[in-house]
């Protein structure tokens, strides 16, 4: 990693100001396609290596190569659009010990296939409205509840109807009713061989909501209000948590600007019914009440690097009592978490459930083509009797420490050919607390209360977790 940093710093001494403007190569221009047809895409390949107790397998370490190719075709005829996106996500180097899921492999999937239509509202002639019907990705607000994943090798897709009203005053409202797409295959041996299986809509799962955004041009504040509903049931070939949830929330934020403070406050409340597990044998509906809070304040220094410093705090509630017939663990629905909690995929140390996270982040532009980010965060369980959800490890006695550890993270993004070729290098190190050892000690005489998601738990002194990755992205 030090070699990479040294190389980039040396490279940064070159002046890009005198370079001629770079014109990205695009397949659409190369093929000289008509105006009504647009072809675009990208290809990304990433190497990941992880070492430690959480995801390391029998050897205590593991690695994988992930690649993803996206090819998108857009046809525009007047106010009508037809969009199809094919996404091919595969892996190499995984073995029998590698933790492999459909979030990593989804061979030759239809990511989007929808018809869209632009229209004016009869109530507001100045509005610009757009309705999409079909399979699609959805990004809303902070993307903590609904996101088309970026870092992850696969992305969430939904099939249904999605309408956005955009008004001249700057306000916008999005309303949707969709069915989540189930990524297939989900069988481990088939994932290992990158086998193809057609993805299917989960018509037993109904996901709907309204998202509204309003800017304040006088104070530069942005306000978001949202309400999302999820009603799901087990299907013939899959199991769920049978969630019947209503999530309401708001976010007020000010975007970063040079020489100014910025902030973000986001609050979510969640109520309804859910189950403790997705097993067919679990038929016990629990009363669900949970909440999430995100606080962030930052400042952009007026220097040549546009250095941005921020302080961050998250609270996602956990289950307070495993025997009270209630579930207080916050559910992040279909949100993304890489930016908040570090790399996912093989690493995935933390999620937005039963967690308290506090720390800081530093980001700056070494030059016009190199961005550096460094973050340091401390993590606790919100409820000591609930799981460290990404590991499945749980001490129902609550006697173990609630402090999980300190995670350091660094990322470098280098754009040698802006908007065409990007390299990214990242690393994370988790200084794990004594939580794991204490859980095993406290439950030694009652092993049924210790669960680990089938991960290897070491009893020795090796308790830290580390990872690094490097990836290349080519956009065409």
């Amino acid at each position: 990693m030090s070699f990479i940093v040294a190389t980039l710093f040396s490279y940064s001494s070159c002046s890009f100001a005198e370079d001629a403007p770079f014109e990205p190569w695009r397949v659409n221009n190369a093929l000289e396609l008509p105006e009504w047809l647009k072809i675009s895409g990208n290809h990304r390949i990433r190497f990941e290596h992880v070492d430690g107790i959480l995801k390391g397998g029998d050897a205590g370490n593991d690695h994988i190569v992930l690649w993803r190719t996206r090819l998108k075709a857009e046809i525009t005829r007047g106010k009508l659009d037809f969009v199809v996106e094919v996404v091919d996500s595969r892996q190499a180097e995984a073995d029998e010990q590698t933790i492999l899921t459909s979030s990593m492999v989804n061979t030759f999937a239809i990511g989007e296939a929808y018809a869209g239509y632009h229209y004016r509202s009869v109530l507001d002639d100045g509005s610009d409205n757009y309705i999409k019907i079909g399979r699609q990705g959805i990004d809303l607000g902070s993307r903590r509840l609904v996101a088309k994943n970026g870092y992850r090798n696969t992305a969430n897709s939904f099939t249904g109807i999605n309408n956005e009203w955009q008004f001249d005053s700057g306000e916008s409202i999005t309303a949707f009713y969709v069915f989540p797409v189930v990524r297939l295959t989900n069988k481990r041996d088939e994932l290992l061989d990158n086998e193809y299986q057609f993805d299917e809509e989960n018509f037993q799962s109904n996901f709907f909501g309204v998202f509204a955004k309003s800017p304040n041009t006088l104070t530069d504040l942005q306000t978001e209000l949202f309400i999302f509903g999820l009603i799901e049931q087990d299907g013939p070939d899959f199991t769920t948590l049978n969630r019947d949830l209503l999530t309401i929330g708001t976010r007020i934020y000010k975007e970063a600007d040079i020489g100014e403070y910025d902030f973000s406050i986001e609050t979510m409340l969640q109520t309804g019914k859910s189950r403790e597990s997705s097993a067919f044998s679990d038929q016990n509906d629990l009363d669900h009440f949970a909440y999430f809070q995100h606080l962030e304040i930052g400042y952009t220094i007026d220097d040549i690097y546009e250095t941005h410093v921020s302080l961050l705090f998250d609270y996602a509630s956990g289950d307070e009592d495993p025997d009270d017939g209630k579930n207080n663990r916050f559910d992040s629905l279909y949100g993304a978490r890489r930016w908040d909690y570090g790399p996912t995929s093989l690493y995935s140390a933390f999620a937005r459930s039963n967690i308290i996270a506090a720390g800081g982040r530093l980001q700056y532009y070494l030059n016009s083509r190199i961005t550096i980010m460094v973050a340091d965060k401390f993590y606790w369980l919100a409820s000591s009797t609930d799981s460290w959800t990404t590991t499945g490890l749980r001490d129902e006695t609550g006697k173990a420490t609630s402090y999980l550890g300190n995670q350091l993270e660094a990322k470098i993004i280098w754009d040698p050919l802006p908007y065409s070729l990007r390299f990214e290098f990242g690393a994370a190190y988790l200084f794990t607390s004594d939580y794991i050892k204490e859980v095993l000690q406290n439950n030694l005489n009652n092993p049924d209360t210790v669960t680990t998601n089938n991960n290897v738990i070491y009893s020795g002194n090796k308790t830290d977790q580390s990872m690094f990755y490097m990836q290349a992205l080519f956009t065409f």
Side-chain angles (χ1 to χ4, degrees):
M1 188 70 180
S2 60
F3 170 77
I4 295 172
V5 174
T7 302
L8 292 177
F9 267 87
S10 174
Y11 182 80
S12 71
S13 62
C14 301
S15 173
F16 296 106
E18 299 176 0
D19 291 350
F22 176 75
E23 184 69 27
W25 184 86
R26 292 291 183 264
V27 64
N28 205 76
N29 297 331
L31 296 177
E32 298 182 352
L33 297 176
E35 291 185 0
W36 54 267
L37 175 61
K38 180 180 179 182
I39 303 293
S40 61
N42 59 61
H43 176 76
R44 186 184 73 184
I45 184 168
R46 179 169 70 230
F47 172 81
E48 301 179 8
H49 177 86
V50 65
D51 183 67
I53 55 155
L54 302 182
K55 304 291 176 66
D58 287 342
N61 62 77
D62 205 351
H63 67 274
I64 196 170
V65 176
L66 300 171
W67 68 87
R68 181 185 70 199
T69 303
R70 285 177 171 169
L71 186 62
K72 190 174 186 177
E74 303 171 73
I75 297 176
T76 301
R77 306 300 288 175
K79 297 181 179 181
L80 190 62
D81 298 330
F82 297 96
V83 177
V84 176
E85 181 186 54
V86 178
V87 185
D88 190 53
S89 304
R90 306 192 184 208
Q91 66 80 27
E93 297 298 315
D95 56 31
E96 294 300 328
Q97 298 299 322
T98 304
I99 295 176
L100 202 59
T101 70
S102 62
S103 67
M104 301 176 185
V105 177
N106 192 19
T107 303
F108 201 72
I110 305 298
E112 294 191 318
Y114 66 83
Y117 181 71
H118 293 270
Y119 67 97
R120 298 285 185 180
S121 170
V122 295
L123 301 178
D124 184 355
D125 191 50
S127 65
D128 181 14
N129 310 312
Y130 189 57
I131 186 170
K132 295 190 292 186
I133 301 176
R135 184 175 292 188
Q136 57 198 270
I138 302 178
D139 271 321
L140 290 176
S142 67
R143 304 175 65 247
R144 291 187 173 97
L145 290 179
V146 192
K148 183 177 181 180
N149 310 75
Y151 179 87
R152 203 176 77 187
N153 208 43
T154 64
N156 297 324
S157 291
F158 307 89
T159 298
I161 185 169
N162 184 357
N163 196 110
E164 180 180 353
W165 294 269
Q166 183 71 51
F167 305 102
D168 274 351
S169 56
E171 285 86 2
S172 64
I173 299 175
T174 300
F176 62 91
Y177 195 109
V178 294
F179 304 99
V181 175
V182 180
R183 294 184 300 275
L184 298 173
T185 177
N186 51 23
K187 297 179 180 179
R188 196 186 184 287
D189 56 339
E190 296 177 355
L191 293 170
L192 196 61
D193 294 332
N194 295 306
E195 292 189 16
Y196 167 76
Q197 187 173 340
F198 189 75
D199 293 345
E200 298 179 358
E201 284 72 20
N202 178 6
F203 292 111
Q204 299 286 343
S205 180
N206 300 263
F207 185 43
F208 50 92
V210 177
F211 177 90
K213 181 176 179 179
S214 176
N216 188 319
T217 56
L218 296 179
T219 61
D220 292 329
L221 294 183
Q222 308 276 346
T223 302
E224 297 171 351
L225 298 172
F226 49 88
I227 179 169
F228 300 138
L230 174 62
I231 303 174
E232 67 179 6
Q233 294 180 346
D234 293 341
D237 302 318
F238 57 87
T239 59
T240 70
L241 292 173
N242 280 60
R243 294 171 293 180
D244 186 349
L245 302 178
L246 186 68
T247 306
I248 60 174
T250 181
R251 180 168 74 126
I252 301 175
Y253 67 99
K254 180 180 181 296
E255 294 181 345
D257 199 0
I258 296 175
E260 295 186 7
Y261 286 96
D262 58 90
F263 71 92
S264 178
I265 302 173
E266 187 163 22
T267 302
M268 305 176 194
L269 296 176
Q270 198 169 67
T271 185
K273 299 281 187 179
S274 62
R275 293 179 181 173
E276 185 176 358
S277 74
S278 59
F280 271 123
S281 59
D282 186 357
Q283 300 293 315
N284 186 25
D285 291 327
L286 305 175
D287 291 329
H288 187 108
F289 181 80
Y291 52 95
F292 170 80
Q293 182 68 59
H294 173 80
L295 303 173
E296 179 176 345
I297 184 168
Y299 182 78
T300 305
I301 301 173
D302 189 3
D303 60 9
I304 61 173
Y305 305 115
E306 299 182 17
T307 305
H308 184 261
V309 183
S310 56
L311 297 176
L312 312 152
F313 175 82
D314 277 3
Y315 184 98
S317 64
D319 192 35
E320 296 176 358
D321 184 343
D323 300 316
D324 64 357
K326 299 178 182 179
N327 185 4
N328 308 113
R329 184 188 299 172
F330 186 78
D331 191 308
S332 58
L333 303 180
Y334 302 98
R337 54 190 167 101
R338 188 264 180 270
W339 182 246
D340 281 336
Y341 305 129
T344 54
S345 195
L346 271 190
Y347 185 66
S348 300
F350 302 103
R352 199 171 291 110
S353 291
N354 190 36
I355 203 76
I356 300 174
R361 182 188 295 134
L362 172 68
Q363 179 173 311
Y364 63 98
Y365 301 92
L366 192 60
N367 55 47
S368 62
R369 302 191 185 188
I370 298 178
T371 304
I372 296 177
M373 185 279 290
V374 179
D376 186 13
K377 276 190 173 183
F378 298 84
Y379 291 87
W380 295 262
L381 294 177
S383 171
S384 59
T385 57
D386 196 7
S387 298
W388 180 355
T389 57
T390 53
T391 69
L393 195 64
R394 181 173 189 172
D395 178 18
E396 295 185 357
T397 70
K399 296 178 181 179
T401 177
S402 62
Y403 176 60
L404 300 178
N406 171 214
Q407 177 181 273
L408 295 175
E409 181 191 357
K411 180 175 68 173
I412 300 172
I413 296 176
W414 175 29
D415 292 304
L417 303 176
Y419 307 104
S420 187
L421 180 62
R422 164 173 287 191
F423 295 102
E424 184 173 326
F425 311 90
Y429 194 100
L430 174 61
F431 298 90
T432 312
S433 72
D434 291 332
Y435 172 79
I436 294 172
K437 293 180 180 179
E438 292 182 11
V439 169
L440 296 178
Q441 291 170 0
N442 292 341
N443 294 274
L444 190 61
N445 297 322
N446 189 12
D448 291 339
T449 64
V450 180
T451 57
T452 63
N453 280 359
N454 296 321
N455 297 342
V456 175
I457 298 296
Y458 288 90
S459 58
N461 294 323
K462 187 178 182 182
T463 58
D464 290 351
Q465 164 109 343
S466 64
M467 74 88 65
F468 74 86
Y469 70 90
M470 48 188 178
Q471 70 179 31
L473 173 67
F474 174 59
T475 302
F476 52 87

